[in-house]
């Protein structure tokens, strides 16, 4: 009598399935953009209704038609702002807005799982973001208040390809994190505007890098497209004031001559100007939207019939 | 200011006075230094007998940093992916090719921990400072893959023993600072960076008796040990060049001021940490490894109130303190990099070199 409750395997045994490691054969994805061309950015404000201001940013995913696994990673960020809110009772008096910014990677954001506690990388990036945002807000308009900026990284860019074990150890490490920081600044600024916090200017940020074997500056570099990057730089830039509020650059030994450092900062500013255009458009769009909804809300109230008692 | 710079207790009038004297031409510093002068410090190396290299650096304000460097042998994590292992079986022909290539180290093999007094060990500023000091130690050398086996490249590549083993480097820094009040919250970056530099120059790694792919076996003779960084006159070393130095540079009203103390930092328009290292073998060529902009404590200060109140918010009344708003002009950033790569960088690299040669 057959045991009909059990699904038996084939009597002869099977061979384990072996997938062809196709991505290795495909090689490294090539940068198809021009050196001065940024990846496309999707940015929208006001996605978290409970927050005072919020924004979501996503970078274009490169199409990988030939491989099942994605050959490059992309960036997806969401940012929420709480405040300005009163300082807690036990804190000392401050005439200025107390800004605190943090970046948290979702556990699934990168190949290496991030825990729920913030690790060193996240704290370091958070300090960078806080430095940048402190330069753009006008803190004395909000005495005795606090503002919390939280950026959640839903997908973070990585330094190497999915199938590489040691990745970018040849070049400088952490270019993926630099991209995350730059886009975090952009998304946080969009959320700040959405929260209607007074700012000096529209801050925007960009990354520029230079490959080890070339002299051209690449704007918005995707680290997995390059075997080794020799130098990279993030700049947070206020276009109307021609000021920098954040600089973070890394250069390989012997590369950081004065001209290279200068060119790299200029290229990063160019990238920041690119994202600035997008930020302006997005803010205009969200403003139009909010005016429209406010208008419709106003007309609704006038239609209300007063209750007779 | 991220770490351990307590907000200065200066009044708006004092801040305004300090700011205007620092932004005059030439800047007048409270301790009468020139803008490019560094604070004097005393240093000694090889102070901790249980470490492989150590340094003790003290500033005149009573702050001291003690650095100990230790290295331990660690098994290199084999690539876990089964696919790669299988590939090695099938493509034996390729392995000979990869052997000629220089072994690659990982930046995670170098760890740096800071202990600063009066700071929680999960303070974000602490990690910011740790990362700032660590990221410049692991920069790759600019020449890729063309280096011959004899010429050492970057530090992490030098730590490779063979395909299964590597050295792991622990750099532990302890800052000792006098009780609160005597040192006006200066940012400890220059002190820490100097101490780490000297400790790494002092570090020696035991010579290995084992060869090739054998399990590592260290030589008992400490005299035979190899310096981590190249010493003049010694041919063998783990890494080329010298360890980087991180300088603290402050910008006030278009002036570039080096090595500011706590009082000066309280009025900074912008603060930069610039890491430099000697480029190549010549002493007089310096290159930048990293630049970071730091938070200035001049932002979160009380503003001064002018006598005839009621003016516009943006009116600038001379002599009345306003907290710093906005960033640093683009042209000033150029000025900073020019100043660092100019005589100052050369001088600091040269003087540390002189110290090591004399003391070593």
């Amino acid at each position: 009598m057959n045991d009909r409750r059990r699904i038996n395997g084939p009597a002869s045994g099977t061979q384990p399935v072996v997938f062809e490691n196709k991505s290795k054969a495909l090689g490294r994805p090539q940068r198809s953009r021009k050196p001065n061309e940024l990846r496309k950015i999707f940015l929208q404000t006001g996605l978290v209704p409970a927050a005072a201001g919020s924004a979501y940013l996503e970078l274009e995913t490169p199409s990988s038609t030939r491989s099942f696994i994605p050959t490059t990673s992309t960036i997806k960020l969401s940012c929420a702002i709480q405040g300005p809110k009163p300082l807690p009772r036990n804190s000392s008096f401050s005439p200025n807005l107390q800004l605190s910014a943090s970046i948290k990677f979702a556990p699934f954001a990168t190949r290496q799982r991030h825990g729920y506690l913030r690790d060193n990388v996240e704290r370091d990036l958070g300090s960078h973001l806080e430095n940048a945002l402190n330069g753009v807000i006008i803190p004395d308009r909000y005495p005795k208040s606090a503002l919390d900026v939280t950026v959640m990284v839903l997908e973070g860019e990585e330094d190497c390809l999915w199938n590489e074990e040691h990745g970018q150890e040849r070049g400088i490490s952490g270019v993926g994190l630099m991209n995350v920081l730059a886009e975090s600044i952009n998304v946080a600024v969009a959320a700040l505007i959405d929260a209607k916090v007074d700012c000096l200017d529209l801050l925007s940020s960009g990354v520029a890098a230079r490959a080890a074997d070339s002299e051209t500056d690449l704007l918005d570099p995707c680290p997995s497209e390059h075997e080794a990057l020799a130098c990279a730089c993030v700049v947070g830039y206020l276009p109307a004031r021609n000021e920098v509020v954040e600089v973070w650059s890394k250069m390989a030994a012997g590369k950081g001559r004065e001209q290279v450092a200068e060119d790299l900062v200029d290229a990063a500013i160019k990238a920041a100007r690119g994202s600035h255009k997008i930020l302006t458009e997005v803010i205009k769009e969200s403003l139009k939207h909010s005016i429209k909804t406010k208008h419709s809300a106003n007309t609704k109230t006038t239609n209300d019939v007063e209750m007779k008692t | 200011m991220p770490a351990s710079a307590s907000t200065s207790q200066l009044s708006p009038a004092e801040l305004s006075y300090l700011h205007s004297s620092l932004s005059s031409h030439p800047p007048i510093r409270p301790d009468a230094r020139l803008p490019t002068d560094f604070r004097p410090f005393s240093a000694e190396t090889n102070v901790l007998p249980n470490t492989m290299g150590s340094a003790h650096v003290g500033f005149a304000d009573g702050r001291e940093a003690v650095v100990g460097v230790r290295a331990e042998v660690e098994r290199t994590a084999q690539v876990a992916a089964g696919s790669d292992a299988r590939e090695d079986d099938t493509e034996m022909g390729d392995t000979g090719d990869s052997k000629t290539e220089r072994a690659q180290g990982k930046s995670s093999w170098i760890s740096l921990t800071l202990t600063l007094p009066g700071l929680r060990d999960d303070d974000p500023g602490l990690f910011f400072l740790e990362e700032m000091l660590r990221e410049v130690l692991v920069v790759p050398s600019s020449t890729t893959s063309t280096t011959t086996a004899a010429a050492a490249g970057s530090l992490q590549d030098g730590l490779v023993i063979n395909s299964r083993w590597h050295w792991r480097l622990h750099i532990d820094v302890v800052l000792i600072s006098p009780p609160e009040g005597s040192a006006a919250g200066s940012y400890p970056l220059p002190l820490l960076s100097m101490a780490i530099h000297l400790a790494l120059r002092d570090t020696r790694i035991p010579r290995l008796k084992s060869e090739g792919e054998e399990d590592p076996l260290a030589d008992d003779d400490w005299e035979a040990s190899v310096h981590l960084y190249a010493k003049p006159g010694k041919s063998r070393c783990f890494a080329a060049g010298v360890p980087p130095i991180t300088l603290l540079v402050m910008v006030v009203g278009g002036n570039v001021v080096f090595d500011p103390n706590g009082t000066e930092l309280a009025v900074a328009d912008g603060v930069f940490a610039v890491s430099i290292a000697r480029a190549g073998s010549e002493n007089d060529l310096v290159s930048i490894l990293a630049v970071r902009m730091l938070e200035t404590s001049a932002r979160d200060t009380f503003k001064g109130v002018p006598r005839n109140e009621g003016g516009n918010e943006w009116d600038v009344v001379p002599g009345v303190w306003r907290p710093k708003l906005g960033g640093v002009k683009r042209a000033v950033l150029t000025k900073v990099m020019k100043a660092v790569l100019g005589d100052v960088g050369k001088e600091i690299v040269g003087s540390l070199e002189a110290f090591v040669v004399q003391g070593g």
Side-chain angles (χ1 to χ4, degrees):
Chain A
M1 174 101 181
N2 254 355
D3 182 3
R4 282 191 292 162
R5 294 193 184 181
R6 214 186 298 276
I7 301 168
N8 289 317
S12 58
T14 53
Q15 288 286 317
V17 181
V18 178
F19 291 103
E20 189 188 355
N21 197 347
K22 210 171 175 187
S23 55
K24 203 161 227 166
L26 285 176
R28 193 173 286 282
Q30 291 295 314
R31 184 183 168 112
S32 52
R33 295 172 279 144
K34 283 183 226 128
N36 61 351
E37 194 179 336
L38 309 184
R39 278 175 283 186
K40 291 196 178 69
I41 298 176
F42 174 86
L43 181 61
Q44 197 176 346
T45 56
L47 278 126
V48 186
S54 62
Y56 174 79
L57 182 142
E58 190 176 322
L59 283 189
E60 158 191 40
T61 317
S63 57
S64 53
T65 47
R66 289 159 63 197
S67 163
F68 175 65
I69 25 174
T71 45
T72 52
S73 48
T74 177
I75 294 178
K76 293 188 178 92
L77 304 167
S78 90
C79 174
I81 285 181
Q82 201 195 6
K85 57 184 181 182
L87 278 177
R89 269 174 183 276
N90 53 6
S91 62
S92 54
F93 170 79
S94 166
N96 298 315
L97 181 69
Q98 299 294 310
L99 181 116
S100 71
S102 63
I103 294 182
K104 181 78 195 88
F105 281 78
F108 47 81
T110 53
R111 242 178 318 159
Q112 194 123 46
R113 183 182 176 272
H114 287 265
Y116 287 96
L117 288 173
R118 271 207 292 275
D119 62 11
N120 290 8
V121 170
E122 289 161 351
R123 286 172 205 271
D124 181 35
L125 283 181
S127 308
H128 276 291
L129 177 66
E130 198 171 302
N131 289 356
L133 294 182
N134 265 324
V136 74
I137 55 168
I138 308 174
D140 58 344
R141 297 257 178 100
Y142 305 93
K144 300 184 275 182
S145 330
L147 186 76
D148 289 343
V149 180
T150 320
V151 175
M152 185 71 160
V153 182
L154 300 171
E155 188 175 347
E157 191 148 56
E158 288 178 280
D159 281 347
C160 49
L161 281 170
W162 289 83
N163 52 354
E164 277 178 333
E165 63 271 16
H166 53 239
Q168 282 272 330
E169 297 292 343
R170 231 176 237 290
I172 48 167
S173 54
V175 182
L177 291 178
M178 286 183 156
N179 276 333
V180 170
L181 173 68
E183 299 309 335
S184 299
I185 293 174
N186 289 336
V187 75
V189 169
L192 273 180
I193 305 293
D194 189 42
K196 300 187 175 61
V197 176
D198 292 354
C199 288
L200 281 173
D201 191 3
L202 193 58
L203 167 69
S204 64
S205 177
V207 187
R210 196 174 269 204
D213 46 2
S214 87
E215 296 287 302
T216 46
D217 294 313
L218 306 164
L219 307 193
D220 192 16
C222 181
S224 53
E225 290 172 351
H226 305 277
E227 199 189 344
L229 291 169
C231 26
C233 176
V234 191
V235 165
Y237 183 65
L238 305 176
R241 297 165 65 97
N242 189 21
E243 287 180 347
V244 288
V245 294
E246 165 69 21
V247 181
W248 181 23
S249 68
K250 289 183 184 179
M251 287 164 223
K255 279 271 177 187
R257 306 301 307 151
E258 195 184 327
Q259 198 52 47
V260 178
E262 276 294 293
D263 289 350
L264 210 60
V265 170
D266 281 333
I269 286 177
K270 231 182 253 171
R273 281 183 187 278
S275 0
H276 181 262
K277 278 184 195 138
I278 292 155
L279 268 172
T280 344
E281 285 307 311
V282 167
I283 285 157
K284 264 190 219 160
E285 202 174 87
S286 73
L287 207 64
K288 266 181 207 159
H289 182 74
S290 70
I291 289 168
K292 209 185 281 173
T293 47
K294 203 182 268 173
H295 187 70
S296 61
N298 281 344
T299 49
K300 212 175 272 171
T301 46
T302 48
N303 287 348
D304 274 356
V305 184
E306 210 166 296
M307 229 193 315
K308 281 171 188 153
T309 46
Chain B
M1 193 91 318
S4 88
S6 50
T7 44
S8 66
Q9 296 302 310
L10 296 175
S11 67
E14 285 169 313
L15 290 170
S16 167
Y17 174 74
L18 204 56
H19 188 270
S20 54
S21 64
L22 276 170
S23 47
S24 59
H25 293 278
I28 303 161
R29 301 177 73 169
D31 47 6
R33 280 186 285 162
L34 291 175
T36 54
D37 274 357
F38 284 74
R39 280 170 286 179
F41 67 93
S42 60
E44 50 184 333
T45 55
N46 203 0
V47 285
L48 305 174
N50 285 334
T51 58
M52 293 170 170
S54 56
H56 170 218
V57 176
F59 268 167
D61 67 356
R63 291 179 156 226
E64 292 169 39
V66 181
V67 181
V69 182
R70 280 189 73 92
E72 60 186 17
V73 170
E74 195 182 55
R75 198 177 266 277
T76 308
Q78 298 293 323
V79 184
S83 59
D84 289 52
R86 202 182 49 255
E87 229 161 74
D88 284 355
D89 291 342
T90 51
E91 299 167 31
M92 277 306 247
D94 283 359
T95 49
D97 187 45
S98 64
K99 220 165 237 165
T100 52
E101 205 172 283
R102 210 189 143 69
Q104 300 261 315
K106 288 195 180 176
S107 56
S108 57
W109 293 348
I110 298 160
S111 65
L112 193 148
T113 51
L114 293 180
T115 313
L116 304 187
L119 210 61
R120 285 173 59 123
D121 59 2
D122 61 348
D123 191 280
L126 189 65
F127 294 111
F128 189 76
L129 198 54
E130 265 177 18
E131 244 335 273
M132 189 191 316
L133 292 165
R134 202 190 71 93
E135 74 179 6
V136 290
L137 293 176
V138 297
V139 291
S141 53
S142 55
T143 47
T144 46
S145 73
T146 50
T147 45
T148 54
S154 60
L155 180 57
Q156 71 264 36
D157 291 352
L159 296 176
V160 178
I161 297 172
N162 55 38
S163 67
R164 291 178 302 129
W165 298 91
H166 66 259
W167 291 103
R168 174 178 276 278
L169 206 62
H170 296 279
I171 304 165
D172 297 293
V173 189
V174 178
L175 182 75
I176 306 162
S177 103
E180 216 38 52
S182 46
S186 92
Y187 199 55
L189 177 67
L191 178 63
L192 301 178
S193 166
M194 219 83 84
I196 291 169
H197 175 93
L198 292 175
L200 283 173
R201 297 292 299 263
D202 182 51
T203 302
R204 294 196 278 178
I205 306 282
R207 195 180 70 86
L208 290 176
K209 281 198 271 192
S210 57
E211 287 170 350
E213 292 294 304
E214 290 170 9
D215 283 358
L217 182 71
D219 194 342
D220 286 342
D221 189 6
W222 185 244
E223 291 302 311
S225 57
V226 183
H227 273 278
L228 189 63
Y229 278 94
K231 264 249 154 116
K234 300 260 174 68
S235 58
R236 294 191 60 204
C237 62
F238 279 77
V242 292
I245 307 157
T246 307
L247 306 178
L248 192 65
V249 189
M250 177 178 92
V251 173
V252 184
N255 284 333
V256 179
V257 175
F258 281 88
D259 193 24
N261 62 22
T263 335
E264 289 167 319
L265 277 175
V267 295
D269 286 346
V271 188
F272 293 92
V274 188
S275 303
I276 54 167
R278 210 171 64 188
S281 51
E282 311 95 89
N283 239 339
D284 56 341
L285 209 60
V286 180
S287 73
I288 295 180
L289 293 180
V291 183
R292 274 188 188 221
M293 192 163 170
L294 309 180
E295 180 60 10
T296 157
S297 50
R299 292 195 199 285
D300 193 16
T301 45
F302 284 79
K303 67 174 168 193
V305 181
R307 183 180 297 196
N308 46 353
E309 231 186 315
N312 191 339
E313 188 190 0
W314 302 104
D315 287 349
V316 177
V317 187
V320 175
W321 172 249
R322 293 170 55 86
K324 170 70 188 157
L325 281 178
V328 168
K329 288 269 182 262
R330 173 69 188 88
V332 177
L333 181 60
T334 307
K335 226 171 160 181
V336 169
M337 289 197 274
K338 201 167 262 177
V340 169
L341 286 176
D343 292 334
V344 181
K346 286 172 201 161
E347 198 187 315
I348 186 93
V349 169
S351 61
L352 281 171
E353 190 68 32
F355 171 83
V356 170
V357 170
Q358 277 173 7

